Amino acid sequence: MEAPEFKDFAKEMVDYIANYLENIRDRRVLPSVEPGYLRPLIPSEAPQRPESWEDVMADIERVIMPGVTHWHSPKFHAYFPTANSYPAIVADMLCGAIACIGFSWIASPACTELEVVMLDWLGKMIGLPEEFLACSGGKGGGVIQGTASEATLVALLGAKAKKLQQVKAEHPDWDDSVIIPKLVGYCSKQAHSSVERAGLLGGVKLRSIEADNDNRLKGEVLEAAIKKDLADGLIPFYAVVTLGTTSTCAFDYLDECGPVGNKYDVWIHVDAAYAGSAFICPEYRHFMKGMETADSFNFNPHKWMLVNFDCSAMWLKDPSWVINAFNVDPLYLKHDQQGSAPDYRHWQIPLGRRFRALKLWFVLRLYGIENLQAHIRRHCGFATQFGELCASDSRFEIYGDINMGLVCFRLKGSNDLNEALLKKINGRGNIHLVPSKIKETYFLRMAVCSRFTVSEDMEFSWNEVKASANEVFAEKN
Amino acid sequence: MEAPEFKDFAKEMVDYIANYLENIRDRRVLPSVEPGYLRPLIPSEAPQRPESWEDVMADIERVIMPGVTHWHSPKFHAYFPTANSYPAIVADMLCGAIACIGFSWIASPACTELEVVMLDWLGKMIGLPEEFLACSGGKGGGVIQGTASEATLVALLGAKAKKLQQVKAEHPDWDDSVIIPKLVGYCSKQAHSSVERAGLLGGVKLRSIEADNDNRLKGEVLEAAIKKDLADGLIPFYAVVTLGTTSTCAFDYLDECGPVGNKYDVWIHVDAAYAGSAFICPEYRHFMKGMETADSFNFNPHKWMLVNFDCSAMWLKDPSWVINAFNVDPLYLKHDQQGSAPDYRHWQIPLGRRFRALKLWFVLRLYGIENLQAHIRRHCGFATQFGELCASDSRFEIYGDINMGLVCFRLKGSNDLNEALLKKINGRGNIHLVPSKIKETYFLRMAVCSRFTVSEDMEFSWNEVKASANEVFAEKN
């Protein structure tokens, strides 16, 4: 394919995309296909000779769209939002054209340097303590990871390297095989499943400790767990504090847990994957009180800040623990300017990395802070609206607090009843929700996800829930 | 930004991209900026109010381009190629518009199912043994990883889980802390640095063993290392066989190492990150002889097969070792169809994943196998051409064989002389190369990288090398 054809094809795709997104509300949010639907729709082998781009375009509606779950429909309320915006799509086009691999500064200085400055912009936008920012002139700085799960793992590995060095200094006769089995990390039972997975990947114990009745981790509970492990001869090294849990968007008490971590020299990693975007609004920053006690902090602009996946922003107060932990530096990756700018390959699990800072730059400039704040506040308002609709029907109860753009709710009654309700809702296919369960209580999660959502959409979604409940009760009786 | 503005902006970007790529040859391949160049060019904070897209467009040439290393210039010969093609750019636009997160089948069935079938297409194109393919109906199947380094790590972690289970069955009284320090993996000293890094990340010993005089790992050397470790009470569990090393594109003897791995129950992972794309040409498949002995295989269509980064194709004969090793399955990610289609989140390190199979689908259809083969053969031909030019100048010597699109060469004489040559070449900034070093011999690597390369470009690059050598000798005398 040469340039003239590309121009026709790409511009046709631009129109298709605008049309898809502007009319996404009209599509069935959850596809009705069965596993294996796609294979019979396309040949069993790649073609020998090129096809026309018109044929490829035509196959999008025939092959792909019937199997797409439309995450950007106002009728999509599952998981948490994932971002999608026009500026980010255009930035990714440029990223694809430059197509540099930014593993070192010299491999494309702009790729590294824009990332350094964008993470400063972003850090300032959420009021992050200065020692996390590169512009402070200290050790700290930010990096774009692919996902929050990678940030959790990178922080865990940095914390592990740090504690190994400390313990070896105290006990020169202990080697890794003596120390590693003693290491123990902590998170709340409400932490994301990727924290447990990071423990498995990192080969260390990860203790899930009980949150309080509001599903928030308290400092005294963390301290009790650390003390018990110390008494048992174990070595506490890492704790994940979640700001905005997946199940209910609950906020751990960072201002309690952080000082406990500092007291026992336990690395504090703050995971605000979803809710962190809300910190661009000053009224939500009380949830991040105590951030100065953290060693690392992460949130996903690719969730709630209109920067397309993947763009997970992570800051480290002292990145050297991560950088030195796995620093392998072959000659073909060395360059003359090493040390005067970050070589981001040392900050992450993969070697290769795309020019993702472009997406941040385009989104921040083309929305401006004001419009991004408005986006967050609008979503929070829709959650309040849904909560009020829900509270107006005496068959329903809200589970816990309404935090950010998430409403957890259930029919008063058994878990079975609520499982039947969810099955009914998703079976109708007009809106899509997923459930969660805490201490044997099963509930439904309604996350506001789409940037196209308007107030009428919330009414539509509520009416779907209500109609499904009617059907469930009708079938029961 | 709303749809009408997006259309204008995106179409302007399409024209910019075509213009950038079609005229990339005219840009200085290596930027002349110093570390810290970018920060003064932009404000120190994000704007409160939105800017115009025209201002953002204008800043690409002002802020970004001066700091870009142009990986797609025919004058770029560093590292290995990274892919860039028009069909892949358009596919990524669609990926950005759908913007689903394909962590489970239900999260977007098309995202998972197209990936399953595309990995079958690709496996068939390179003649991969059937048991690696999902369409065989067995356990095997493929997955798109972000990078080859992640594939190496995922395979290592799968191999570790498998060996732990085996050893525990034999020694029920041994726990992880007894077994893990005994585990040992292997690779050639010429393996990519990410293999050593995977060992560090996975917390296991990774032994680098000597390749032969052609920089290829032989089966008998691997076997001797395994036997010695067994005699020392260690537990061999993993070996990486490299097809196309980074330094010289040397090929380990898979047909020797594979059977050794099978004999000692050592997981064989084949890393063909760069060279694997050449296996779409039957004349290069002799290098993959013995593939039926491998447990996992990986190559990067995002290097040499015109699919933009990231698209690293990995196949596993028995993915269950990887899937079960870190399977954490919270309620909010469960769905009714579990088990009847892959949930790819279990196959990888991160949780989230983009709809990357679209890029493969577009590229395979819009080039066709014939044109992709022609691309590979053209690059190999350019390497031969450069090798002949180099051989025609008696001051130079070719280091090792010319394999695929890579020529390793040096000035006859000291390493210092060659370091001076490379400094001169990169200092002139007209072409870009990186060096490597094997057993104290320093040499330069000329990788053919751009899909825009024509025969005259190779002459230009050679003339740059020759002119730089002239300068080096002139300064010396």
Side-chain angles (χ1 to χ4, degrees):
Chain A
M1 172 170 279
E2 298 309 321
E5 253 187 306
F6 162 66
K7 289 187 190 182
D8 292 343
F9 182 27
K11 289 175 184 179
E12 179 92 6
M13 185 59 85
V14 168
D15 290 334
Y16 179 86
I17 287 171
N19 185 53
Y20 168 67
L21 289 173
E22 297 301 317
N23 297 292
I24 198 165
R25 189 181 279 103
D26 302 335
R27 294 182 186 254
R28 184 186 153 101
V29 59
L30 195 63
S32 55
V33 298
E34 293 294 319
Y37 91 93
L38 184 141
R39 195 183 282 277
L41 299 180
I42 63 175
S44 61
E45 293 187 31
Q48 282 295 323
R49 299 179 50 77
E51 299 181 50
S52 76
W53 66 261
E54 290 87 350
D55 285 348
V56 171
M57 276 306 295
D59 276 353
I60 297 170
E61 285 297 328
R62 187 181 69 85
V63 177
I64 303 300
M65 284 300 163
V68 170
T69 304
H70 300 286
W71 282 60
H72 303 283
S73 165
K75 299 168 180 173
F76 181 92
H77 301 298
Y79 321 113
F80 271 134
T82 189
N84 183 337
S85 72
Y86 292 132
I89 292 172
V90 179
D92 255 349
M93 291 164 62
L94 181 61
C95 169
I98 295 175
C100 61
I101 304 295
F103 43 56
S104 67
W105 180 84
I106 193 69
S108 226
C111 179
T112 297
E113 299 210 3
L114 189 66
E115 189 163 330
V116 172
V117 181
M118 284 307 103
L119 273 284
D120 279 349
W121 277 23
L122 202 53
K124 289 176 188 173
M125 281 170 64
I126 60 172
L128 208 57
E130 202 167 61
E131 46 196 320
F132 284 104
L133 306 184
C135 59
S136 74
K139 291 181 184 176
V143 61
I144 299 176
Q145 303 283 356
T147 57
S149 21
E150 285 163 281
T152 304
L153 177 59
V154 162
L156 178 141
L157 295 170
K160 182 180 167 188
K162 183 177 179 186
K163 190 55 82 178
L164 278 171
Q165 184 175 311
Q166 285 174 347
V167 174
K168 282 176 185 174
E170 285 168 37
H171 304 277
D173 53 321
W174 290 11
D175 67 6
D176 286 6
S177 67
V178 176
I179 305 168
I180 291 171
K182 295 184 200 290
L183 293 179
V184 53
Y186 306 86
C187 66
S188 145
K189 282 197 174 153
Q190 292 309 312
H192 190 264
S193 57
S194 59
V195 181
E196 181 189 344
R197 201 157 182 262
L200 292 170
L201 291 165
V204 291
K205 261 187 284 298
L206 219 301
R207 214 179 283 301
S208 286
I209 52 184
E210 208 64 67
D212 71 4
N213 287 334
D214 295 324
N215 302 311
R216 309 172 68 174
L217 181 63
K218 291 196 65 66
E220 61 194 42
V221 183
L222 175 62
E223 182 160 22
I226 290 175
K227 277 182 161 173
K228 180 170 185 315
D229 284 329
L230 284 170
D232 291 345
L234 297 176
I235 306 172
F237 80 108
Y238 181 61
V240 176
V241 174
T242 307
L243 300 184
T245 60
T246 307
S247 282
T248 64
C249 199
F251 290 79
D252 291 346
Y253 292 93
L254 174 58
D255 57 341
E256 296 179 8
C257 296
V260 168
N262 294 170
K263 179 173 170 189
Y264 294 95
D265 213 353
V266 165
W267 180 300
I268 296 289
H269 175 67
V270 178
D271 172 14
Y274 163 66
S277 295
F279 300 151
I280 64 173
C281 302
E283 67 268 30
Y284 294 120
R285 283 193 203 147
H286 61 93
F287 284 124
M288 62 187 274
K289 199 178 148 203
M291 191 64 83
E292 70 285 353
T293 61
D295 295 281
S296 51
F297 170 67
N298 169 251
F299 87 94
N300 291 347
H302 72 226
K303 277 200 166 68
W304 203 16
M305 222 189 71
L306 298 173
V307 183
N308 274 56
F309 186 89
D310 50 343
C311 180
S312 181
M314 181 188 195
W315 290 264
L316 293 134
K317 251 189 212 164
D318 182 358
S320 69
W321 292 109
V322 168
I323 293 169
N324 296 331
F326 327 106
N327 187 338
V328 291
D329 218 3
L331 184 59
Y332 49 80
L333 294 178
K334 280 192 203 299
H335 60 91
D336 291 342
Q337 288 84 356
Q338 269 179 211
S340 48
D343 283 332
Y344 275 131
R345 72 178 180 282
H346 301 308
W347 297 51
Q348 59 175 20
I349 305 290
L351 171 61
R353 57 202 326 273
R354 294 182 303 135
F355 198 162
R356 294 175 292 199
L358 288 171
K359 290 188 286 198
L360 261 176
W361 197 40
F362 279 35
V363 167
L364 296 180
R365 293 181 68 182
L366 292 171
Y367 277 92
I369 295 174
E370 279 182 8
N371 282 319
L372 294 170
Q373 289 172 329
H375 171 70
I376 298 286
R377 289 170 180 144
R378 225 168 23 235
H379 274 200
C380 294
F382 293 140
T384 307
Q385 181 193 349
F386 187 91
E388 284 164 2
L389 289 166
C390 199
S392 72
D393 187 326
S394 63
R395 297 173 300 174
F396 286 89
E397 60 189 3
I398 306 287
Y399 178 85
D401 294 329
I402 295 174
N403 278 323
M404 306 294 159
L406 181 69
V407 183
C408 298
F409 68 99
R410 63 195 307 281
L411 281 169
K412 291 170 187 166
S414 70
N415 287 349
D416 287 351
L417 184 70
N418 280 285
E419 286 188 43
L421 173 65
L422 184 75
K423 217 179 166 81
K424 187 65 75 184
I425 291 170
N426 285 333
R428 288 167 60 104
N430 296 324
I431 63 171
H432 182 36
L433 277 77
V434 295
S436 194
K437 198 184 208 173
I438 294 182
K439 292 180 192 158
E440 301 310 311
T441 302
Y442 179 101
F443 55 89
L444 280 64
R445 295 169 72 264
M446 193 294 300
V448 181
C449 291
S450 170
R451 74 179 166 87
F452 299 106
T453 303
V454 292
S455 182
E456 289 72 25
D457 291 308
M458 298 317 299
E459 284 168 25
F460 177 89
S461 293
W462 168 247
N463 286 332
E464 272 297 304
V465 171
K466 220 166 50 176
S468 302
N470 292 345
E471 286 184 26
V472 166
F473 284 116
E475 283 169 22
K476 215 179 140 200
N477 299 327
Chain B
M1 172 170 279
E2 298 308 321
E5 255 187 304
F6 162 67
K7 288 187 190 182
D8 292 342
F9 183 25
K11 288 175 185 179
E12 179 91 5
M13 185 59 85
V14 168
D15 291 334
Y16 179 85
I17 287 172
N19 185 53
Y20 168 68
L21 288 173
E22 296 302 316
N23 298 293
I24 198 165
R25 189 181 280 104
D26 303 334
R27 292 182 186 254
R28 184 187 156 102
V29 58
L30 196 63
S32 55
V33 298
E34 293 294 319
Y37 92 93
L38 185 140
R39 194 183 286 273
L41 300 180
I42 62 176
S44 61
E45 294 188 30
Q48 283 295 324
R49 298 180 48 78
E51 300 181 50
S52 77
W53 66 260
E54 290 88 349
D55 286 347
V56 172
M57 275 307 294
D59 276 353
I60 297 171
E61 284 298 327
R62 187 181 70 86
V63 177
I64 303 300
M65 284 300 163
V68 170
T69 303
H70 301 286
W71 283 60
H72 302 284
S73 165
K75 299 167 181 174
F76 181 92
H77 300 300
Y79 320 112
F80 272 134
T82 189
N84 183 337
S85 72
Y86 292 132
I89 293 172
V90 180
D92 256 348
M93 291 163 61
L94 180 61
C95 169
I98 295 175
C100 61
I101 304 295
F103 44 55
S104 66
W105 179 85
I106 193 70
S108 225
C111 180
T112 296
E113 299 211 3
L114 189 65
E115 189 163 328
V116 173
V117 180
M118 284 305 104
L119 272 285
D120 278 348
W121 277 24
L122 203 53
K124 288 177 187 173
M125 281 170 64
I126 60 172
L128 208 58
E130 202 168 64
E131 47 197 320
F132 284 104
L133 307 183
C135 60
S136 74
K139 290 181 185 176
V143 62
I144 299 176
Q145 303 282 355
T147 57
S149 21
E150 286 163 280
T152 304
L153 178 59
V154 163
L156 179 141
L157 294 171
K160 183 179 166 188
K162 183 178 178 185
K163 189 58 80 179
L164 278 171
Q165 184 174 314
Q166 284 173 348
V167 175
K168 283 177 185 172
E170 283 169 39
H171 304 277
D173 53 322
W174 291 9
D175 69 7
D176 286 5
S177 67
V178 175
I179 305 169
I180 290 170
K182 294 185 201 288
L183 293 180
V184 52
Y186 306 86
C187 66
S188 145
K189 282 198 173 151
Q190 293 309 311
H192 190 265
S193 57
S194 59
V195 180
E196 183 189 343
R197 200 156 183 263
L200 292 171
L201 292 165
V204 291
K205 261 187 282 301
L206 219 302
R207 213 179 281 303
S208 287
I209 52 183
E210 208 64 68
D212 71 4
N213 287 333
D214 296 324
N215 302 312
R216 311 173 66 176
L217 182 62
K218 291 195 63 66
E220 61 195 41
V221 184
L222 175 61
E223 182 160 22
I226 290 174
K227 276 182 161 172
K228 180 168 184 318
D229 285 329
L230 284 171
D232 291 344
L234 297 177
I235 305 172
F237 81 107
Y238 181 61
V240 175
V241 174
T242 308
L243 300 183
T245 60
T246 307
S247 282
T248 64
C249 198
F251 290 80
D252 292 345
Y253 292 95
L254 174 58
D255 57 341
E256 296 179 8
C257 297
V260 168
N262 294 170
K263 182 174 166 188
Y264 295 94
D265 213 352
V266 165
W267 179 301
I268 296 289
H269 175 68
V270 178
D271 171 14
Y274 163 65
S277 295
F279 300 152
I280 63 171
C281 302
E283 67 269 30
Y284 294 119
R285 282 193 205 148
H286 61 93
F287 284 122
M288 61 187 273
K289 199 178 147 204
M291 192 64 82
E292 69 286 352
T293 61
D295 295 281
S296 51
F297 170 68
N298 170 250
F299 88 95
N300 290 347
H302 74 226
K303 278 202 164 65
W304 204 17
M305 222 188 72
L306 298 172
V307 183
N308 275 55
F309 187 89
D310 50 343
C311 180
S312 182
M314 181 187 195
W315 290 265
L316 294 134
K317 252 189 209 162
D318 182 358
S320 69
W321 292 109
V322 168
I323 293 169
N324 295 330
F326 328 106
N327 189 337
V328 290
D329 219 3
L331 183 60
Y332 48 79
L333 294 177
K334 281 192 202 295
H335 59 91
D336 291 343
Q337 289 84 357
Q338 268 179 215
S340 49
D343 282 333
Y344 274 131
R345 74 177 179 280
H346 301 308
W347 297 52
Q348 60 175 21
I349 306 291
L351 170 61
R353 57 202 325 273
R354 294 182 303 136
F355 197 163
R356 295 176 291 200
L358 288 171
K359 291 190 284 198
L360 261 176
W361 196 41
F362 278 36
V363 167
L364 296 180
R365 293 181 68 183
L366 292 171
Y367 277 91
I369 294 175
E370 280 182 6
N371 283 320
L372 295 170
Q373 289 171 330
H375 171 71
I376 297 287
R377 288 170 181 145
R378 225 169 23 235
H379 274 200
C380 294
F382 292 140
T384 307
Q385 179 194 348
F386 187 91
E388 284 164 2
L389 289 165
C390 199
S392 71
D393 186 326
S394 62
R395 299 174 298 177
F396 286 88
E397 60 189 3
I398 305 288
Y399 179 86
D401 295 328
I402 296 175
N403 278 322
M404 306 294 161
L406 182 69
V407 183
C408 298
F409 69 100
R410 63 196 308 282
L411 282 168
K412 291 170 187 165
S414 70
N415 286 351
D416 286 350
L417 185 69
N418 281 285
E419 286 187 41
L421 174 65
L422 184 75
K423 217 178 166 80
K424 188 65 76 182
I425 292 170
N426 285 334
R428 288 166 61 101
N430 296 323
I431 64 171
H432 183 36
L433 278 75
V434 294
S436 194
K437 198 183 211 176
I438 294 182
K439 291 180 193 157
E440 301 310 311
T441 301
Y442 179 101
F443 55 90
L444 281 64
R445 297 169 70 265
M446 193 294 300
V448 182
C449 291
S450 171
R451 73 180 166 86
F452 298 107
T453 304
V454 293
S455 182
E456 290 69 27
D457 291 309
M458 298 315 300
E459 284 168 25
F460 177 89
S461 293
W462 168 247
N463 286 333
E464 271 298 304
V465 171
K466 220 166 49 174
S468 303
N470 292 345
E471 287 185 25
V472 167
F473 283 115
E475 283 168 22
K476 214 181 142 197
N477 297 327

